[in-house]
């Protein structure tokens, strides 16, 4: 099914304007998003582009039809950080990247992200990268020097820097560029570099080596989506140098100004008002939050409350409010069949440059009006209130009467013996598991709060 009459507008970084989205081919809409470098668990900031572009993917499928949208997101599995992790841990590189790739898919799945149609790994596309580099040399846009191949920025000086809005001269003045004797221009960037025997390497016309960071996305998007495609997305931290360099490589290889038509960038994430950093102790992986009892659906709703182009602040208060909202919505829609499509106002907000905050306001309105079927269909479009995401909400309806009875008996006994240590121990354990403990003469009531984790009750 498609709702082709909906006009999607997207803020195009390339033109700095909000533009009506017109796909090159409405029956083959194509999107590429830069994915993770797989050497560790994904942190909360890594999850933001995944959720943002998952929402765009869902919207495109809704408007053009599920079978007519192709979404590719890469895994960078050749990188100096991975090599360093392998050297430090003594584990094989392939083992580390396979494990961390699966972790990423598992953790993002918990946040309700659909898997892209293509998830290419850089190591599977080395021949295509070598071919593209060879082509760039042949066209005069790259040169080999001392086992390296570098992109010659001067060969494309007119256009280089347009995406990020910088001139080459400004960039050289302000950039922390890697100065190397074999570079003709300090801004020239590496397409290929030599590998020592202890590092991953592939044979090439320039000797055994490995690709630079930027070439992989150019080669993989070309291979999977063609030389021109509709949307290229990623975090705004990738705008320069990564996306700028991708554009330079791809346009020069294509021999014209064609590559991605619309460029979308999401803003960064903070935690409790501060930039996430290990030194501040506010650095979380997605798995950390899931293990602390924050359901994936709750994390997703917190993310969607902020427009993707605004900095997002993760706070515990927001998570607790999101959890309360989702419990209310799930209670309202329990056993209800969703409407045949999302509410018109919800689609309109989503089509307006992914105004997810506006969508959530509409969901609150539908809930207040008691339109359970409309609420369910509209929330489903955002990847919320789905059956797959609901296990956490079903969990707290588990039978807590046994725990209530144990605590009540312990309390009765303590009233006689005046020895309250067992009551305190049980109560502390129940609170630690995320339950609110209400005790009265009549009995004990346990109420699941935000972050209730039934696993913590085991062995009580």
């Amino acid at each position: 099914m498609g709702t082709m009459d909906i006009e999607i507008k997207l803020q195009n970084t390339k033109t700095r304007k909000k533009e009506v989205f017109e796909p090159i081919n409405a029956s083959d809409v194509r999107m590429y998003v830069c994915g993770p470098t797989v050497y560790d668990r994904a942190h909360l900031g890594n999850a933001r582009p995944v959720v943002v572009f998952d929402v765009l993917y869902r919207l495109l499928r809704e408007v053009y039809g599920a079978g007519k949208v192709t979404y590719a997101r890469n895994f960078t599995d050749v990188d100096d950080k991975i090599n360093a992790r392998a050297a430090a841990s003594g584990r094989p590189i392939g083992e580390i990247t396979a494990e961390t790739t699966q972790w990423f898919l598992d953790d993002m799945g918990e946040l309700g992200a659909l898997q892209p149609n293509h998830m290419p790994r850089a190591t599977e596309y080395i021949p295509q990268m070598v071919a593209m580099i060879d082509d760039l040399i042949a066209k005069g846009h790259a040169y080999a020097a001392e086992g390296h191949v570098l992109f010659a920025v001067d060969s494309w000086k007119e256009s280089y820097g347009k995406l990020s809005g910088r001139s080459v001269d400004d960039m050289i003045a302000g950039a922390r560029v890697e100065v190397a004797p074999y570079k003709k221009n300090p801004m020239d960037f590496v397409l290929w570099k030599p590998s020592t025997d202890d590092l991953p390497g592939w044979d090439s016309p320039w000797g055994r080596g490995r690709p630079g960071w930027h070439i992989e996305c150019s080669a993989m998007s070309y291979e999977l989506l063609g030389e021109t495609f509709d949307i290229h997305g990623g975090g705004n931290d990738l705008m320069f140098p990564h996306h700028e360099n991708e554009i330079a490589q791809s346009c020069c290889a294509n021999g014209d100004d064609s590559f991605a038509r619309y460029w979308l960038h999401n803003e960064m994430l903070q935690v409790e008002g501060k930039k996430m950093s290990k030194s501040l102790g506010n650095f979380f992986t997605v798995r950390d939050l899931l293990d602390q009892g924050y359901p994936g659906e709750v994390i997703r709703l917190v993310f969607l409350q902020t427009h993707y182009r605004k900095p997002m602040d993760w706070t515990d208060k927001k998570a607790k409010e999101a959890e309360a909202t989702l419990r209310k919505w799930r209670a309202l829609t329990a056993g209800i069949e969703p409407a045949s499509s999302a509410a018109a106002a919800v689609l309109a907000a989503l089509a307006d440059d992914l105004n997810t905050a506006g969508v959530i306001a509409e969901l609150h309105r539908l809930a207040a009006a008691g339109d359970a079927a409309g609420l369910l269909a509209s929330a489903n479009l955002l990847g919320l209130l789905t059956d797959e995401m609901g296990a956490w909400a079903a969990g707290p309806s588990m039978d807590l009467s046994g725990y209530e009875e144990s605590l009540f008996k312990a309390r009765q006994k303590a009233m006689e013996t005046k020895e309250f240590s067992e009551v305190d121990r049980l109560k502390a354990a129940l609170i630690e598991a995320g339950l609110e403990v209400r005790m009265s003469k009549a009995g004990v009531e346990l109420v699941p709060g935000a972050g209730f984790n039934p696993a913590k009750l085991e062995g009580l």
Side-chain angles (χ1 to χ4, degrees):
M1 84 155 223
T3 27
M4 298 272 293
D5 50 337
I6 288 168
E7 185 176 77
I8 299 175
K9 288 184 179 162
L10 300 171
Q11 178 74 23
N12 190 352
T13 310
K14 191 172 156 187
T15 57
R16 294 178 175 49
K17 289 201 289 272
K18 195 194 280 194
E19 298 179 339
V20 174
F21 174 66
E22 290 174 358
I24 299 162
N25 174 357
S27 57
D28 181 19
V29 182
R30 287 158 288 163
M31 171 164 81
Y32 187 93
V33 174
C34 291
T37 300
V38 281
Y39 64 98
D40 207 345
R41 285 271 182 200
H43 63 66
L44 208 49
N46 301 138
R48 192 171 193 204
V50 174
V51 173
V52 166
F53 292 104
D54 180 64
V55 169
L56 178 53
Y57 181 41
R58 288 168 183 272
L59 174 64
L60 294 171
R61 285 162 58 104
E62 178 75 13
V63 172
Y64 295 98
K68 296 181 178 172
V69 182
T70 305
Y71 173 17
R73 186 187 64 217
N74 69 307
F75 282 107
T76 299
D77 62 348
V78 52
D79 181 88
D80 291 340
K81 282 180 180 159
I82 301 170
N83 300 341
R85 178 60 52 100
S89 66
R91 295 175 65 201
I93 283 173
E95 195 179 289
I96 291 172
T97 58
E99 175 182 68
T100 46
T101 297
Q102 195 54 52
W103 282 350
F104 182 85
L105 293 173
D106 291 346
D107 294 351
M108 298 308 129
E110 294 252 359
L111 302 187
L114 302 169
Q115 289 203 358
N117 307 89
H118 299 291
M119 296 186 283
R121 298 201 311 274
T123 52
E124 298 170 336
Y125 287 81
I126 304 286
Q128 290 88 338
M129 295 180 215
V130 169
M132 188 175 253
I133 295 169
D134 217 15
D135 184 40
L136 287 168
I137 294 175
K139 287 176 174 161
H141 292 296
Y143 58 95
E146 296 180 31
H148 292 72
V149 181
L150 291 119
F151 183 88
V153 167
D154 282 344
S155 75
W156 207 60
K157 198 170 179 178
E158 297 314 301
S159 301
Y160 191 75
K162 274 189 180 161
L163 183 74
S164 52
R166 315 168 182 207
S167 75
V168 174
D169 299 333
D170 286 349
M171 285 192 267
I172 292 174
R176 294 173 302 192
V177 289
E178 193 186 339
V179 178
Y182 46 76
K183 284 188 176 186
K184 292 181 181 173
N185 174 326
M187 287 311 296
D188 291 351
F189 56 88
V190 172
L191 301 173
W192 189 263
K193 56 187 170 187
S195 283
T196 51
D197 291 344
D198 58 328
L199 290 172
W202 290 264
D203 291 330
S204 81
W206 320 286
R208 184 177 177 276
R210 59 196 194 276
W213 173 31
H214 316 296
I215 193 70
E216 62 173 286
C217 288
S218 286
M220 293 193 288
S221 62
Y222 175 80
E223 200 63 28
L224 294 167
L225 304 177
E227 66 177 44
T228 311
F229 54 93
D230 298 300
I231 296 168
H232 194 311
N236 66 354
D237 55 328
L238 297 178
M239 201 184 301
F240 184 87
H242 186 52
H243 291 160
E244 201 72 75
N245 291 354
E246 270 185 69
I247 291 173
Q249 294 160 169
S250 292
C251 289
C252 290
N254 295 343
D256 57 25
D257 201 15
S258 66
F259 184 38
R261 304 245 315 245
Y262 300 83
W263 285 80
L264 269 70
H265 291 92
N266 63 278
E267 251 291 356
M268 295 297 99
L269 173 137
Q270 303 171 316
V271 171
E272 302 289 348
K274 294 190 175 70
K275 189 178 173 188
M276 193 163 70
S277 75
K278 285 184 172 146
S279 59
L280 287 174
N282 67 348
F283 182 93
F284 298 110
T285 65
V286 173
R287 182 51 53 188
D288 289 337
L289 285 182
L290 293 167
D291 287 349
Q292 286 166 27
Y294 292 95
E297 188 174 34
V298 170
I299 299 172
R300 185 178 181 92
L301 180 56
V302 173
F303 274 32
L304 297 179
Q305 284 168 349
T306 304
H307 191 273
Y308 78 93
R309 284 190 292 106
K310 293 198 171 117
M312 195 207 117
D313 191 18
W314 169 271
T315 68
D316 192 52
K317 181 171 181 278
K318 282 186 189 170
K320 288 191 164 55
E321 287 168 357
E323 176 152 354
T325 295
L326 285 165
R327 283 191 191 284
K328 195 167 75 188
W329 288 352
R330 281 194 170 275
L332 185 65
T333 56
I336 297 274
E337 279 296 305
S340 57
S341 71
V346 164
L347 272 166
L350 206 50
D352 181 16
D353 195 30
L354 303 184
N355 179 7
T356 53
V359 170
I360 289 161
E362 290 297 335
L363 296 182
H364 281 295
R365 270 197 274 282
L366 290 165
D371 182 358
L375 171 64
L376 189 53
S378 301
N380 286 171
L381 176 60
L382 272 191
L384 297 169
L385 303 190
T386 60
D387 292 344
E388 306 85 71
M389 295 290 277
W392 69 274
S397 65
M398 65 184 274
D399 185 8
L400 296 168
S401 59
Y403 298 103
E404 291 171 340
E405 199 177 329
S406 300
L407 184 55
F408 187 61
K409 281 184 174 160
R411 186 165 179 260
Q412 280 181 314
K413 189 175 172 189
M415 294 301 234
E416 292 163 19
T417 62
K418 301 287 182 263
E419 175 47 64
F420 281 86
S421 60
E422 177 61 3
V423 173
D424 293 342
R425 182 190 77 81
L426 280 172
K427 190 174 168 191
L430 294 163
I431 290 168
E432 165 65 15
L435 291 164
E436 189 189 327
V437 179
R438 299 176 184 168
M439 292 201 279
S440 67
K441 284 184 185 135
V444 171
E445 190 189 359
L446 299 175
V447 183
F452 170 56
N453 184 357
K456 291 189 174 176
L457 296 175
E458 284 168 20
L460 243 192

